[in-house]
Amino acid sequence: MSTSEADLRIRLQPRQSELWRLWDDNFHHRIGFGGARGGAKSGGGRRCMLLRRLKYPGTTGLILRRTHPELYKSHIIKLFEEFPQTRNWYNEQRKEVTFPNGSRLFFGSAEHAGDMNAFYSSEFADIMPDESQEFSQGELESLMGSNRCTSNSDITPKMIYTFMPGISETGLPPKGLPYLKRVLVDGDLRGEETRKNWAFIQAFSWDNIEWARKELEQDGVSEEEFYSWSADVRRDYFITRTDYGSTLASITDKDLRDAWLYGKWDVFKGQYYPNFSQEKHVIDLKKADLKPWYTRWISGDWGYDHPGVIHWHALDEFGNVTTYRELWGREIGEEDLGRRIGEMSAGEKIDAFYYSWDAFGTVSKKTKKSLTTMIGDGMPAHMPRPVPADKTPGSRISGWRLWHQLMNAQMWRVVGPSADYSGCPKLIETIPTLIRDPENTEDVLKVDWSENYIGDDCADSVRMGLQNMLSASMVPKSVQFQRKTTEIRKAIVGALPVSENYAEVLARLGAKLL
């Protein structure tokens, strides 16, 4: 052990030692440390990050949080409290600790849109997005490109994800949780993900002795004896003897209690579209193979300060729907929006344009025109103008259910981004974050966009597009045929003499009329 390492006196709890063994081997590349609240995930990750910087001279590490206040409270202050000498190595302006051996530890936050770009162009031997569920799958995957090291060939670069199950303290669904649960908790690796070795450690609050230290001293129990107990005994002691344990155990919401106390991963039951699969529903433009004769239409959710969204859809001859293009942005003027829609629709025959009802009737103080009129003014003359989406009672829920049915039947898909096509990245990010409204579990909880949250605007846009263009349920082809032949029979029977053979006439005319 080096002098600096000995001076820091870094001690790990047993579960944190397990993390260290995986972190410092030459086999694993992606490690998850997740579970209940208070499981010493953040502290364990930070201590292991220090050990790595001390063991491998000249290497860099990054601890990342969603906002700077969270970063400061959870890591920077904690670092100084636990290891006061590191304050002398810390540069406040660069949020960086420089160790005597030349290694550096950076503390980063990405509170605003675009802040993540600063980390995508850097090099870090170790990256730990703390509370990783607050980052989207796209953000976490983009960080992997920065997980490399050219300064020390002895180190194996690692990505460490600390995260927890369930809905966040803010009440918003963590946008990266479905991805993290799949690849780390469930071990469901797909495609290129299988090229890396992944591991997961389950964390529990009763593995963290700090919650019970006062009570253990009162009961005359040593740290060694505490960790010699079985997990069940430690759990019972934590719940019955500690303040924090009793607080978590007293949570009345069963799903929240199971997530925060027991670290259960099946509590994300509020997710509205658990049937959405990137593997099944996301395709590239080439595979979509959109034919010129497909029925095409547009749908959108109006917004200016909050995002305005437009989606393009295509319906094939078998009833399959492809959402293939997306326009997402803030503070886009109405006429400019119309021009963009026209430009992006060039060469396509658009049959309809369904738009959120709140854009209708709103008049611009400057032009004295309605917002939808101004959008239409910017569009090419041949394109359909926006019409209000259905807002009758129950229409919102029926739209969500229709979309769910289409997903289940694999009759809806979305084009993802690729090197030469933008696709629908915001929609793909949005779908896993949609949760049921606790006040009406048949509906999706209304959540507005923020710098750190995608919101539900994209989902509203697609819901209105599907609901207004398609029927409330997909009518089977056999039923469509039966209905059509019934119509034909009525038309023929009403016009034929009694002696005329209906079957013969239907045989002669059916193909043409069908």
mmCIF file of all heavy atoms in Angstrom, residues 320-350:
data_model
loop_
_atom_site.group_PDB
_atom_site.id
_atom_site.type_symbol
_atom_site.label_atom_id
_atom_site.label_comp_id
_atom_site.label_asym_id
_atom_site.label_seq_id
_atom_site.Cartn_x
_atom_site.Cartn_y
_atom_site.Cartn_z
ATOM 1 N N ASN A 320 -50.301 -2.229 -40.418
ATOM 2 C CA ASN A 320 -49.137 -1.935 -39.578
ATOM 3 C C ASN A 320 -48.772 -0.455 -39.682
ATOM 4 O O ASN A 320 -48.769 0.117 -40.783
ATOM 5 C CB ASN A 320 -47.949 -2.788 -40.008
ATOM 6 C CG ASN A 320 -48.246 -4.269 -39.892
ATOM 7 O OD1 ASN A 320 -48.617 -4.750 -38.829
ATOM 8 N ND2 ASN A 320 -48.089 -4.994 -40.990
ATOM 9 N N VAL A 321 -48.445 0.133 -38.545
ATOM 10 C CA VAL A 321 -48.126 1.553 -38.485
ATOM 11 C C VAL A 321 -46.649 1.742 -38.170
ATOM 12 O O VAL A 321 -46.103 1.082 -37.276
ATOM 13 C CB VAL A 321 -48.972 2.282 -37.417
ATOM 14 C CG1 VAL A 321 -48.612 3.759 -37.368
ATOM 15 C CG2 VAL A 321 -50.457 2.094 -37.704
ATOM 16 N N THR A 322 -46.007 2.647 -38.891
ATOM 17 C CA THR A 322 -44.625 3.018 -38.610
ATOM 18 C C THR A 322 -44.564 4.515 -38.339
ATOM 19 O O THR A 322 -44.999 5.319 -39.176
ATOM 20 C CB THR A 322 -43.696 2.689 -39.794
ATOM 21 O OG1 THR A 322 -43.767 1.290 -40.076
ATOM 22 C CG2 THR A 322 -42.250 3.068 -39.466
ATOM 23 N N THR A 323 -44.082 4.889 -37.166
ATOM 24 C CA THR A 323 -43.802 6.302 -36.862
ATOM 25 C C THR A 323 -42.351 6.544 -37.243
ATOM 26 O O THR A 323 -41.450 5.963 -36.639
ATOM 27 C CB THR A 323 -44.037 6.589 -35.366
ATOM 28 O OG1 THR A 323 -45.415 6.292 -35.048
ATOM 29 C CG2 THR A 323 -43.748 8.042 -35.037
ATOM 30 N N TYR A 324 -42.133 7.350 -38.279
ATOM 31 C CA TYR A 324 -40.821 7.352 -38.910
ATOM 32 C C TYR A 324 -40.052 8.667 -38.859
ATOM 33 O O TYR A 324 -38.881 8.710 -39.257
ATOM 34 C CB TYR A 324 -40.943 6.899 -40.366
ATOM 35 C CG TYR A 324 -41.781 7.795 -41.265
ATOM 36 C CD1 TYR A 324 -41.198 8.807 -42.030
ATOM 37 C CD2 TYR A 324 -43.150 7.613 -41.367
ATOM 38 C CE1 TYR A 324 -41.960 9.604 -42.867
ATOM 39 C CE2 TYR A 324 -43.921 8.405 -42.198
ATOM 40 C CZ TYR A 324 -43.316 9.405 -42.949
ATOM 41 O OH TYR A 324 -44.078 10.202 -43.769
ATOM 42 N N ARG A 325 -40.674 9.726 -38.403
ATOM 43 C CA ARG A 325 -39.949 11.003 -38.378
ATOM 44 C C ARG A 325 -40.424 11.832 -37.199
ATOM 45 O O ARG A 325 -41.574 11.727 -36.769
ATOM 46 C CB ARG A 325 -40.162 11.760 -39.700
ATOM 47 C CG ARG A 325 -39.335 13.048 -39.820
ATOM 48 C CD ARG A 325 -39.639 13.748 -41.140
ATOM 49 N NE ARG A 325 -39.216 12.968 -42.293
ATOM 50 C CZ ARG A 325 -39.971 12.745 -43.366
ATOM 51 N NH1 ARG A 325 -41.205 13.233 -43.412
ATOM 52 N NH2 ARG A 325 -39.499 12.036 -44.374
ATOM 53 N N GLU A 326 -39.552 12.694 -36.703
ATOM 54 C CA GLU A 326 -39.858 13.485 -35.507
ATOM 55 C C GLU A 326 -39.287 14.886 -35.651
ATOM 56 O O GLU A 326 -38.160 15.084 -36.111
ATOM 57 C CB GLU A 326 -39.241 12.786 -34.293
ATOM 58 C CG GLU A 326 -39.403 13.478 -32.966
ATOM 59 C CD GLU A 326 -38.780 12.650 -31.849
ATOM 60 O OE1 GLU A 326 -37.537 12.739 -31.655
ATOM 61 O OE2 GLU A 326 -39.516 11.891 -31.194
ATOM 62 N N LEU A 327 -40.091 15.852 -35.243
ATOM 63 C CA LEU A 327 -39.630 17.246 -35.123
ATOM 64 C C LEU A 327 -39.905 17.668 -33.693
ATOM 65 O O LEU A 327 -41.052 17.685 -33.254
ATOM 66 C CB LEU A 327 -40.366 18.147 -36.121
ATOM 67 C CG LEU A 327 -40.145 19.663 -35.992
ATOM 68 C CD1 LEU A 327 -38.667 20.008 -36.114
ATOM 69 C CD2 LEU A 327 -40.961 20.408 -37.038
ATOM 70 N N TRP A 328 -38.862 17.989 -32.954
ATOM 71 C CA TRP A 328 -38.978 18.320 -31.527
ATOM 72 C C TRP A 328 -38.185 19.594 -31.279
ATOM 73 O O TRP A 328 -37.042 19.729 -31.734
ATOM 74 C CB TRP A 328 -38.401 17.185 -30.692
ATOM 75 C CG TRP A 328 -38.529 17.298 -29.194
ATOM 76 C CD1 TRP A 328 -39.458 16.723 -28.406
ATOM 77 C CD2 TRP A 328 -37.665 18.022 -28.291
ATOM 78 N NE1 TRP A 328 -39.253 17.017 -27.085
ATOM 79 C CE2 TRP A 328 -38.155 17.826 -26.984
ATOM 80 C CE3 TRP A 328 -36.536 18.827 -28.470
ATOM 81 C CZ2 TRP A 328 -37.556 18.398 -25.862
ATOM 82 C CZ3 TRP A 328 -35.940 19.393 -27.354
ATOM 83 C CH2 TRP A 328 -36.444 19.176 -26.066
ATOM 84 N N GLY A 329 -38.789 20.548 -30.584
ATOM 85 C CA GLY A 329 -38.050 21.770 -30.301
ATOM 86 C C GLY A 329 -38.840 22.731 -29.440
ATOM 87 O O GLY A 329 -40.060 22.596 -29.277
ATOM 88 N N ARG A 330 -38.132 23.675 -28.888
ATOM 89 C CA ARG A 330 -38.740 24.724 -28.070
ATOM 90 C C ARG A 330 -38.593 26.065 -28.779
ATOM 91 O O ARG A 330 -37.650 26.291 -29.526
ATOM 92 C CB ARG A 330 -38.083 24.793 -26.693
ATOM 93 C CG ARG A 330 -38.255 23.528 -25.858
ATOM 94 C CD ARG A 330 -37.523 23.653 -24.525
ATOM 95 N NE ARG A 330 -38.040 24.748 -23.723
ATOM 96 C CZ ARG A 330 -37.280 25.687 -23.154
ATOM 97 N NH1 ARG A 330 -35.950 25.660 -23.300
ATOM 98 N NH2 ARG A 330 -37.825 26.654 -22.447
ATOM 99 N N GLU A 331 -39.565 26.952 -28.502
ATOM 100 C CA GLU A 331 -39.549 28.320 -29.013
ATOM 101 C C GLU A 331 -39.438 28.359 -30.541
ATOM 102 O O GLU A 331 -38.690 29.159 -31.111
ATOM 103 C CB GLU A 331 -38.420 29.116 -28.349
ATOM 104 C CG GLU A 331 -38.572 29.198 -26.831
ATOM 105 C CD GLU A 331 -37.490 30.039 -26.166
ATOM 106 O OE1 GLU A 331 -36.555 30.446 -26.871
ATOM 107 O OE2 GLU A 331 -37.589 30.273 -24.957
ATOM 108 N N ILE A 332 -40.192 27.490 -31.188
ATOM 109 C CA ILE A 332 -40.285 27.507 -32.643
ATOM 110 C C ILE A 332 -41.536 28.292 -33.018
ATOM 111 O O ILE A 332 -42.649 27.935 -32.605
ATOM 112 C CB ILE A 332 -40.369 26.087 -33.234
ATOM 113 C CG1 ILE A 332 -39.150 25.260 -32.825
ATOM 114 C CG2 ILE A 332 -40.484 26.137 -34.757
ATOM 115 C CD1 ILE A 332 -39.204 23.821 -33.301
ATOM 116 N N GLY A 333 -41.385 29.363 -33.784
ATOM 117 C CA GLY A 333 -42.527 30.161 -34.214
ATOM 118 C C GLY A 333 -43.466 29.349 -35.093
ATOM 119 O O GLY A 333 -43.049 28.400 -35.767
ATOM 120 N N GLU A 334 -44.750 29.755 -35.102
ATOM 121 C CA GLU A 334 -45.758 28.955 -35.796
ATOM 122 C C GLU A 334 -45.489 28.868 -37.303
ATOM 123 O O GLU A 334 -45.553 27.784 -37.897
ATOM 124 C CB GLU A 334 -47.155 29.528 -35.535
ATOM 125 C CG GLU A 334 -47.732 29.161 -34.176
ATOM 126 C CD GLU A 334 -47.005 29.827 -33.017
ATOM 127 O OE1 GLU A 334 -46.495 30.953 -33.196
ATOM 128 O OE2 GLU A 334 -46.932 29.213 -31.924
ATOM 129 N N GLU A 335 -45.222 29.990 -37.954
ATOM 130 C CA GLU A 335 -44.976 29.941 -39.394
ATOM 131 C C GLU A 335 -43.689 29.185 -39.707
ATOM 132 O O GLU A 335 -43.606 28.461 -40.711
ATOM 133 C CB GLU A 335 -44.936 31.356 -39.983
ATOM 134 C CG GLU A 335 -46.298 32.054 -39.975
ATOM 135 C CD GLU A 335 -46.297 33.316 -40.808
ATOM 136 O OE1 GLU A 335 -45.398 33.472 -41.657
ATOM 137 O OE2 GLU A 335 -47.212 34.151 -40.619
ATOM 138 N N ASP A 336 -42.690 29.350 -38.852
ATOM 139 C CA ASP A 336 -41.445 28.587 -39.018
ATOM 140 C C ASP A 336 -41.723 27.095 -38.870
ATOM 141 O O ASP A 336 -41.180 26.268 -39.617
ATOM 142 C CB ASP A 336 -40.413 29.051 -37.987
ATOM 143 C CG ASP A 336 -39.058 28.378 -38.173
ATOM 144 O OD1 ASP A 336 -38.752 27.979 -39.316
ATOM 145 O OD2 ASP A 336 -38.304 28.249 -37.189
ATOM 146 N N LEU A 337 -42.580 26.743 -37.920
ATOM 147 C CA LEU A 337 -42.951 25.345 -37.733
ATOM 148 C C LEU A 337 -43.618 24.808 -38.992
ATOM 149 O O LEU A 337 -43.309 23.695 -39.454
ATOM 150 C CB LEU A 337 -43.887 25.203 -36.536
ATOM 151 C CG LEU A 337 -44.434 23.798 -36.260
ATOM 152 C CD1 LEU A 337 -43.309 22.819 -35.969
ATOM 153 C CD2 LEU A 337 -45.432 23.835 -35.096
ATOM 154 N N GLY A 338 -44.531 25.590 -39.565
ATOM 155 C CA GLY A 338 -45.193 25.170 -40.792
ATOM 156 C C GLY A 338 -44.212 24.956 -41.930
ATOM 157 O O GLY A 338 -44.323 23.981 -42.689
ATOM 158 N N ARG A 339 -43.240 25.859 -42.050
ATOM 159 C CA ARG A 339 -42.235 25.712 -43.114
ATOM 160 C C ARG A 339 -41.403 24.447 -42.909
ATOM 161 O O ARG A 339 -41.114 23.718 -43.861
ATOM 162 C CB ARG A 339 -41.329 26.948 -43.148
ATOM 163 C CG ARG A 339 -41.952 28.158 -43.825
ATOM 164 C CD ARG A 339 -40.919 29.246 -44.078
ATOM 165 N NE ARG A 339 -40.443 29.833 -42.823
ATOM 166 C CZ ARG A 339 -41.017 30.877 -42.235
ATOM 167 N NH1 ARG A 339 -42.105 31.436 -42.769
ATOM 168 N NH2 ARG A 339 -40.533 31.368 -41.105
ATOM 169 N N ARG A 340 -41.023 24.180 -41.661
ATOM 170 C CA ARG A 340 -40.219 22.989 -41.380
ATOM 171 C C ARG A 340 -40.999 21.712 -41.697
ATOM 172 O O ARG A 340 -40.452 20.753 -42.238
ATOM 173 C CB ARG A 340 -39.777 22.977 -39.914
ATOM 174 C CG ARG A 340 -38.797 24.077 -39.548
ATOM 175 C CD ARG A 340 -38.171 23.764 -38.198
ATOM 176 N NE ARG A 340 -37.515 24.924 -37.605
ATOM 177 C CZ ARG A 340 -36.815 24.900 -36.488
ATOM 178 N NH1 ARG A 340 -36.685 23.760 -35.820
ATOM 179 N NH2 ARG A 340 -36.248 25.986 -36.005
ATOM 180 N N ILE A 341 -42.277 21.714 -41.348
ATOM 181 C CA ILE A 341 -43.109 20.550 -41.645
ATOM 182 C C ILE A 341 -43.156 20.317 -43.151
ATOM 183 O O ILE A 341 -43.037 19.186 -43.626
ATOM 184 C CB ILE A 341 -44.528 20.738 -41.076
ATOM 185 C CG1 ILE A 341 -44.489 20.709 -39.543
ATOM 186 C CG2 ILE A 341 -45.481 19.681 -41.608
ATOM 187 C CD1 ILE A 341 -45.804 21.069 -38.883
ATOM 188 N N GLY A 342 -43.323 21.398 -43.910
ATOM 189 C CA GLY A 342 -43.357 21.276 -45.354
ATOM 190 C C GLY A 342 -42.055 20.759 -45.927
ATOM 191 O O GLY A 342 -42.046 19.882 -46.795
ATOM 192 N N GLU A 343 -40.950 21.304 -45.438
ATOM 193 C CA GLU A 343 -39.634 20.875 -45.933
ATOM 194 C C GLU A 343 -39.371 19.409 -45.613
ATOM 195 O O GLU A 343 -38.852 18.656 -46.446
ATOM 196 C CB GLU A 343 -38.543 21.752 -45.318
ATOM 197 C CG GLU A 343 -38.574 23.193 -45.795
ATOM 198 C CD GLU A 343 -37.664 24.101 -44.984
ATOM 199 O OE1 GLU A 343 -37.042 23.602 -44.009
ATOM 200 O OE2 GLU A 343 -37.570 25.303 -45.304
ATOM 201 N N MET A 344 -39.739 18.985 -44.400
ATOM 202 C CA MET A 344 -39.482 17.601 -43.986
ATOM 203 C C MET A 344 -40.431 16.609 -44.665
ATOM 204 O O MET A 344 -40.163 15.415 -44.693
ATOM 205 C CB MET A 344 -39.578 17.485 -42.466
ATOM 206 C CG MET A 344 -38.514 18.296 -41.730
ATOM 207 S SD MET A 344 -38.704 18.319 -39.922
ATOM 208 C CE MET A 344 -38.214 16.643 -39.508
ATOM 209 N N SER A 345 -41.543 17.123 -45.209
ATOM 210 C CA SER A 345 -42.514 16.266 -45.886
ATOM 211 C C SER A 345 -42.344 16.272 -47.399
ATOM 212 O O SER A 345 -43.178 15.693 -48.111
ATOM 213 C CB SER A 345 -43.948 16.714 -45.547
ATOM 214 O OG SER A 345 -44.171 16.748 -44.166
ATOM 215 N N ALA A 346 -41.316 16.910 -47.895
ATOM 216 C CA ALA A 346 -41.121 17.061 -49.346
ATOM 217 C C ALA A 346 -41.144 15.695 -50.039
ATOM 218 O O ALA A 346 -40.504 14.746 -49.598
ATOM 219 C CB ALA A 346 -39.804 17.767 -49.627
ATOM 220 N N GLY A 347 -41.913 15.616 -51.122
ATOM 221 C CA GLY A 347 -41.989 14.395 -51.897
ATOM 222 C C GLY A 347 -42.951 13.359 -51.351
ATOM 223 O O GLY A 347 -43.074 12.272 -51.921
ATOM 224 N N GLU A 348 -43.646 13.662 -50.263
ATOM 225 C CA GLU A 348 -44.574 12.724 -49.648
ATOM 226 C C GLU A 348 -46.010 13.247 -49.741
ATOM 227 O O GLU A 348 -46.239 14.461 -49.679
ATOM 228 C CB GLU A 348 -44.219 12.490 -48.174
ATOM 229 C CG GLU A 348 -42.844 11.891 -47.963
ATOM 230 C CD GLU A 348 -42.480 11.734 -46.500
ATOM 231 O OE1 GLU A 348 -43.229 12.258 -45.644
ATOM 232 O OE2 GLU A 348 -41.464 11.090 -46.208
ATOM 233 N N LYS A 349 -46.963 12.363 -49.888
ATOM 234 C CA LYS A 349 -48.379 12.728 -49.888
ATOM 235 C C LYS A 349 -48.915 12.533 -48.473
ATOM 236 O O LYS A 349 -49.053 11.407 -47.998
ATOM 237 C CB LYS A 349 -49.160 11.866 -50.877
ATOM 238 C CG LYS A 349 -50.654 12.204 -50.941
ATOM 239 C CD LYS A 349 -51.374 11.296 -51.908
ATOM 240 C CE LYS A 349 -52.858 11.633 -51.972
ATOM 241 N NZ LYS A 349 -53.542 11.446 -50.674
ATOM 242 N N ILE A 350 -49.176 13.629 -47.798
ATOM 243 C CA ILE A 350 -49.688 13.601 -46.436
ATOM 244 C C ILE A 350 -51.206 13.745 -46.478
ATOM 245 O O ILE A 350 -51.728 14.697 -47.053
ATOM 246 C CB ILE A 350 -49.062 14.721 -45.583
ATOM 247 C CG1 ILE A 350 -47.527 14.626 -45.600
ATOM 248 C CG2 ILE A 350 -49.593 14.664 -44.153
ATOM 249 C CD1 ILE A 350 -46.967 13.354 -45.023
#
